[in-house]
Amino acid sequence: MIQKVKIVIHGVVQGVGFRPFIFRLAKELDVKGWIINSSQGVFIDAESDRKTLESFIRKIDTDRPKNSYIQSFEHTWLDAEGFETFEIRESKESGSKTALVLPDVSTCNDCLDEIFDPKNRRYLYPFTNCTNCGPRYSIIADLPYDRCNTTMGEFEMCPECRAEYTDPLNRRFHAEPTACPKCGPQVTLKGTDGTVLYEKQEAILNAVKAIKDGKIIALKGIGGYQLLCDASNQDAVITLRKRKRRSEKPFALMLPNAKMVIAECEVSESELRLLSSVEAPIVLLKKKKNIQSAISIECASGNPYLGIMLPYSPLHHILMKELGLPIVATSGNISEDPICINEEEAFEKLADIADYFLVHNRKILRHVDDSIVRIVSGKQVMMRRARGYAPLPVVLNGIKGVTLAAGPHLKNTIAINKANNVFISQHIGDLENIESINAFKRVINDIKSFYELTPEHVICDLHPDYISTKYAESLDIPVHKVQHHYAHVLSCMAENELEGSDMLGVSWDGTGYGTDGTIWGGEFLVPQGISFKRAAYFKPFRLPGGEQAIHDVWKIGLSLLYSVYGEKVFELEIIPFLKKNDALLVKQLLDKNINSPVTTSAGRLFDGISAIIGIRDTVNYEAQAAMELEFAADDFKTNEYFSFSIDESGGSLIFNWENMIKGIINDLNESVPKGKIATKFHNTLAETIVQIVQRLKYSKVLLSGGCFLNKYLLEKSINRLTEEGFKVYTQQRVPSGDGGISLGQMKYSTYIN
Ligand code: ZN
Ligand code: ZN
Ligand code: FE
């Protein structure tokens, strides 16, 4: 089947023969399409079969002209248009010629060679960079991108650095953050009271020693602080968990090299490419089974996946080379606060967690978390979009004027456009405390001031109590509100360049404010521009105790069972949580309808089923019950699903899950393994999508919302829908979770008059 891949590259210099190179490569591989090289970047539309396009992508990386370099490389799989030739198109340059703020770029190979060459003047210098690599977004105060507008401005270049910087033939010609051991920033190892213990290379060596001794280091990295410890040392990992008060949520890891990643995990070629890409994100990889792992089980217990990244800054490279060990590299913050970026804050917040601080005197201007990506069905699934990606724009046509999209409440990102460039911010986080709210406002101001933008409209969520909604309302410009799940669908449309109403958006997540004031989350929506049709949704159920039920997921399980079995629910011997002391109390809440809001949430259905199957009664972190339900299904090969019915009410279809619950109870009574029940549950949901789409007769299906970060559900849904002849669209460059809401809100603005 012919597909199209849309490639956006930033950082390629003009005049090195990049366009002719792509042209020749396309001819050689018989790829059709076009290339444009403009001041906004290199844009390529390439069509061929999947395999050819994959080698096209690989060869751009390996065979490109010697003096070209790539500072960002993003691609999206789209529908083919049927090009007949490959052509070099002239760039129109009608849009603005403003230079873009680039993301922070991982260390290039040339710089790496210098760092590990004892004869080089930058030998083991942790702030080595060049025009092709180094920090960008995290150190830029203003545009134009000149040294004086970055936090490197305070470092006076030495004559040697200045000579490189001013030589057009040098790799460091106008490398704004360039530095060397003589003139640039330096590292220091400090105790928790701030006393300087060691400096320069001694600081790094002693940090390495401390990590090997099981200590915890707070490291000032690129976009903020990270907490590091030896991932092979169980006691160290447990200590970090205790001190960070993070009992079970998986820790991200950094491994010294790709070889060790391959030894620990199943790694496909596209995953390997991603790990060592310029973006260098955390990639979720499946652990190998039955191996002698060097990674303590405590890093991600009960989780068949590991979040792994490779060293991406010189400081990380030097540390990891000395260590030769896998390390935990988790964000330097308290719970869900934004990561610390300055020393004062770090010492205040992390002194009880870290034993030592490895810091430096190059200022970080804004927090940029490590991005998290996974590959599902051969496509990228963005879970957290930050370092390496933000604030690169996504192109979206039809926006009128300048629009600010204020984003959702949880996992917030914001977006602002300049013409058809939509700048999507880095992951900001949950707007639940003053630090996050301040970060939210700072990021909006950053993007506004970089591009000198004054928003004329603001788009926000329909939820009246969200901080982002209230912020939008506080601005003195027209406010437009978009229903949360519709924004998910619009985000998926924007990414896939879809327009019109002949499609069904499947929008499943944990929570979103519905147009009827109830909590939605299991929605099937048909886009209709400014509005939408709620074509189908999950049969509603109650959340006894309201928000609290998100933690005590067994209460959701009880609610589901109660709605199926009524008074007979307590006769279900097989369900242990029914014997809990407060089970009767929960029933009373439901009976009297006290603090028990109705919801159609797919995420909450996952939670409740997880409790019923006996996987989790309560959770320690967001989505834990649903994730463990996914993991239970991970290895079980069955296509069986539970029976369910599709009802009709008020012109909408209703996914009635009652028979499914009965099926689950039957299986439990017959001692069917939990993994198999979990698999059948996932299969049932995929089947629900298929049957609803068949009833509604749409040929295009869009999958969005946080539930589709679930690999099993996403894969199964794609496979079943494709088998039945539907075209499936997913999110690739922005998260299908709430991090993608701001793009959906921006898409909404194209319908406003
Ligand atoms: Zn470099
Ligand atoms: Zn220098
Ligand atoms: Fe959502």
Side-chain angles (χ1 to χ4, degrees):
M1 194 179 70
I2 299 297
Q3 292 192 340
K4 175 167 96 175
V5 67
K6 190 172 206 71
I7 300 169
V8 186
I9 306 173
H10 291 104
V12 179
V13 247
Q14 311 249 4
V16 293
F18 196 77
R19 277 179 305 174
F21 156 70
I22 294 291
F23 184 79
R24 279 195 305 273
L25 186 62
K27 289 281 167 203
E28 179 191 315
L29 297 174
D30 198 24
V31 165
K32 314 289 190 210
W34 50 264
I35 175 174
I36 285 178
N37 190 359
S38 75
S39 60
Q40 295 294 297
V42 175
F43 298 85
I44 303 168
D45 268 20
E47 290 187 6
S48 188
D49 58 85
R50 178 71 187 224
K51 244 193 133 116
T52 307
L53 291 176
E54 275 171 10
S55 74
F56 182 70
I57 289 170
R58 201 174 48 246
K59 287 187 175 204
I60 292 177
D61 222 24
T62 54
D63 299 2
R64 69 196 143 86
K66 225 180 163 338
N67 293 322
S68 70
Y69 55 85
I70 287 174
Q71 294 184 324
S72 87
F73 184 105
E74 291 189 276
H75 67 282
T76 320
W77 297 94
L78 298 172
D79 286 350
E81 289 177 51
F83 298 119
E84 286 173 358
T85 55
F86 193 91
E87 59 189 56
I88 297 179
R89 290 192 182 168
E90 287 308 313
S91 77
K92 287 179 244 76
E93 295 293 349
S94 56
S96 69
K97 291 193 183 181
T98 329
L100 298 177
V101 177
L102 287 176
D104 302 299
V105 187
S106 65
T107 310
C108 76
N109 289 331
D110 292 331
C111 285
L112 261 187
D113 288 346
E114 293 177 348
I115 294 164
F116 293 113
D117 173 6
K119 289 194 268 323
N120 193 282
R121 68 189 192 92
R122 290 191 173 84
Y123 180 54
L124 299 182
Y125 180 57
F127 302 93
T128 304
N129 64 76
C130 72
T131 343
N132 310 347
C133 73
R136 300 283 188 272
Y137 186 44
S138 62
I139 60 161
I140 297 177
D142 204 357
L143 284 180
Y145 176 49
D146 286 330
R147 187 175 177 97
C148 61
N149 284 333
T150 73
T151 61
M152 282 302 293
E154 56 191 79
F155 295 90
E156 180 72 29
M157 272 183 250
C158 70
E160 277 168 295
C161 284
R162 164 91 34 210
E164 292 168 342
Y165 182 84
T166 48
D167 174 5
L169 297 177
N170 195 285
R171 200 173 93 245
R172 295 200 166 85
F173 179 59
H174 278 275
E176 306 304 338
T178 190
C180 79
K182 252 190 241 160
C183 65
Q186 297 291 354
V187 287
T188 320
L189 188 69
K190 293 185 177 177
T192 47
D193 59 354
T195 35
V196 176
L197 304 174
Y198 297 97
E199 290 184 308
K200 302 183 183 173
Q201 183 61 5
E202 284 295 301
I204 298 180
L205 292 177
N206 280 284
V208 166
K209 188 170 168 293
I211 292 173
K212 285 185 172 166
D213 286 346
K215 300 285 191 248
I216 296 162
I217 301 280
L219 170 81
K220 185 177 180 187
I222 294 291
Y225 278 72
Q226 290 174 318
L227 291 162
L228 313 181
C229 77
D230 178 355
S232 64
N233 181 335
Q234 181 146 322
D235 292 340
V237 181
I238 291 173
T239 306
L240 177 55
R241 285 211 175 276
K242 277 197 194 123
R243 293 191 194 163
K244 214 185 169 210
R245 296 199 193 102
R246 177 156 151 161
S247 57
E248 292 183 38
K249 194 174 176 186
F251 281 140
L253 304 170
M254 184 176 279
L255 268 53
N257 49 52
K259 208 176 134 201
M260 194 184 280
V261 184
I262 294 165
E264 293 284 344
C265 299
E266 318 275 352
V267 192
S268 70
E269 205 176 316
S270 46
E271 286 163 340
L272 201 57
R273 201 194 71 83
L274 201 52
L275 279 167
S276 40
S277 65
V278 279
E279 289 83 9
I282 296 168
V283 184
L284 283 197
L285 298 168
K286 192 148 191 192
K287 290 181 198 170
K288 276 190 180 158
K289 285 196 187 115
N290 310 317
I291 56 154
Q292 266 300 46
S293 173
I295 296 163
S296 159
I297 186 79
E298 289 296 327
C299 294
S301 68
N303 192 325
Y305 295 87
L306 291 174
I308 295 184
M309 60 190 143
L310 290 175
Y312 55 81
S313 76
L315 184 51
H316 286 112
H317 278 286
I318 298 166
L319 265 176
M320 294 311 287
K321 186 138 184 175
E322 282 296 330
L323 273 165
L325 291 167
I327 59 166
V328 168
T330 185
S331 23
N333 58 2
I334 302 176
S335 58
E336 300 298 316
D337 282 6
I339 42 173
C340 299
I341 54 171
N342 66 59
E343 232 171 274
E344 198 185 322
E345 194 189 9
F347 275 90
E348 187 192 310
K349 293 192 169 171
L350 308 178
D352 296 337
I353 304 176
D355 298 301
Y356 299 99
F357 285 74
L358 186 56
V359 299
H360 57 74
N361 54 342
R362 184 175 72 197
K363 285 194 194 95
I364 300 172
L365 283 182
R366 57 190 61 82
H367 80 283
V368 193
D369 290 76
D370 293 317
S371 297
I372 311 176
V373 185
R374 86 192 309 185
I375 301 282
V376 179
S377 294
K379 287 182 187 167
Q380 189 169 287
V381 172
M382 183 66 69
M383 306 186 80
R384 182 164 78 196
R385 188 178 187 273
R387 182 182 48 76
Y389 301 94
L392 284 177
V394 167
V395 171
L396 178 64
N397 293 316
I399 310 168
K400 289 162 207 83
V402 178
T403 302
L404 164 67
H409 183 63
L410 300 174
K411 298 190 168 57
N412 180 280
T413 62
I414 60 101
I416 307 180
N417 74 300
K418 175 159 188 166
N420 61 358
N421 275 325
V422 179
F423 300 101
I424 303 170
S425 77
Q426 73 271 38
H427 165 84
I428 297 170
D430 303 348
L431 303 183
E432 303 219 292
N433 56 52
I434 200 75
E435 272 97 349
S436 313
I437 295 162
N438 287 339
F440 165 80
K441 291 178 184 163
R442 256 195 327 266
V443 171
I444 292 174
N445 282 326
D446 276 348
I447 298 182
K448 270 166 62 180
S449 71
F450 280 147
Y451 297 108
E452 295 172 345
L453 297 167
T454 311
E456 297 152 74
H457 317 268
V458 57
I459 320 285
C460 66
D461 198 276
L462 193 62
H463 200 303
D465 300 329
Y466 279 1
I467 302 285
S468 50
T469 304
K470 291 189 169 154
Y471 173 84
E473 284 169 338
S474 76
L475 304 174
D476 210 10
I477 49 177
V479 184
H480 304 271
K481 299 187 176 184
V482 195
Q483 199 280 325
H484 185 90
H485 300 93
Y486 187 37
H488 276 305
V489 175
L490 291 167
S491 180
C492 192
M493 286 175 74
E495 261 208 87
N496 288 287
E497 302 180 358
L498 297 172
E499 212 38 84
S501 298
D502 61 335
M503 61 193 84
L504 186 67
V506 181
S507 189
W508 292 1
D509 65 3
T511 182
Y513 190 83
T515 52
D516 58 2
T518 69
I519 306 165
W520 289 10
E523 313 306 315
F524 298 77
L525 310 177
V526 179
Q528 295 173 336
I530 207 91
S531 65
F532 62 88
K533 178 177 169 16
R534 194 185 190 197
Y537 53 92
F538 283 30
K539 181 185 160 77
F541 52 95
R542 290 188 177 276
L543 294 177
E547 287 288 304
Q548 193 52 36
I550 296 171
H551 304 283
D552 299 330
V553 291
W554 66 271
K555 293 178 181 169
I556 305 174
L558 198 155
S559 165
L560 292 168
L561 292 171
Y562 188 47
S563 62
V564 177
Y565 295 96
E567 293 299 328
K568 289 199 169 117
V569 68
F570 289 103
E571 291 168 22
L572 296 170
E573 292 289 324
I574 197 83
I575 306 292
F577 66 65
L578 294 171
K579 297 183 187 74
K580 281 186 196 272
N581 286 337
D582 39 354
L584 266 173
L585 219 77
V586 172
K587 181 182 167 284
Q588 279 171 13
L589 287 181
L590 291 165
D591 282 337
K592 295 180 185 152
N593 194 9
I594 302 168
N595 189 22
S596 298
V598 231
T599 185
T600 57
S601 165
R604 297 293 91 81
L605 185 73
F606 269 85
D607 288 343
I609 299 297
S610 187
I612 291 172
I613 299 179
I615 290 171
R616 283 219 78 96
D617 275 1
T618 59
V619 301
N620 287 317
Y621 60 90
E622 194 233 333
Q624 187 182 14
M627 278 168 62
E628 292 189 11
L629 188 62
E630 173 193 349
F631 301 152
D634 214 59
D635 276 325
F636 228 95
K637 302 271 178 287
T638 177
N639 291 321
E640 285 177 46
Y641 57 90
F642 294 110
S643 70
F644 60 92
S645 52
I646 295 172
D647 305 342
E648 253 184 282
S649 163
S652 296
L653 300 180
I654 314 288
F655 162 46
N656 184 339
W657 33 260
E658 287 188 3
N659 286 335
M660 177 184 76
I661 304 262
K662 287 180 189 159
I664 291 172
I665 296 296
N666 271 342
D667 274 8
L668 286 171
N669 281 326
E670 283 168 25
S671 309
V672 174
K674 284 177 189 176
K676 185 169 182 185
I677 305 178
T679 312
K680 285 170 73 178
F681 166 69
H682 281 80
N683 293 348
T684 310
L685 294 185
E687 222 47 49
T688 304
I689 303 177
V690 169
Q691 293 196 16
I692 285 180
V693 183
Q694 281 171 338
R695 290 264 297 257
L696 294 170
K697 298 192 170 60
Y698 289 97
S699 60
K700 295 178 193 164
V701 185
L702 284 64
L703 305 177
S704 190
C707 290
F708 292 102
L709 296 173
N710 176 321
K711 183 170 189 260
Y712 187 91
L713 178 68
L714 180 57
E715 235 161 31
K716 191 75 185 175
S717 306
I718 293 172
N719 291 347
R720 283 291 297 122
L721 286 161
T722 313
E723 268 168 28
E724 299 294 332
F726 297 101
K727 289 215 65 128
V728 187
Y729 299 88
T730 60
Q731 305 227 245
Q732 301 171 58
R733 282 178 71 188
V734 302
S736 67
D738 284 2
I741 288 286
S742 59
L743 177 62
Q745 293 176 342
M746 193 57 85
K747 172 78 182 162
Y748 186 81
S749 80
T750 65
Y751 302 120
I752 298 166
N753 287 315

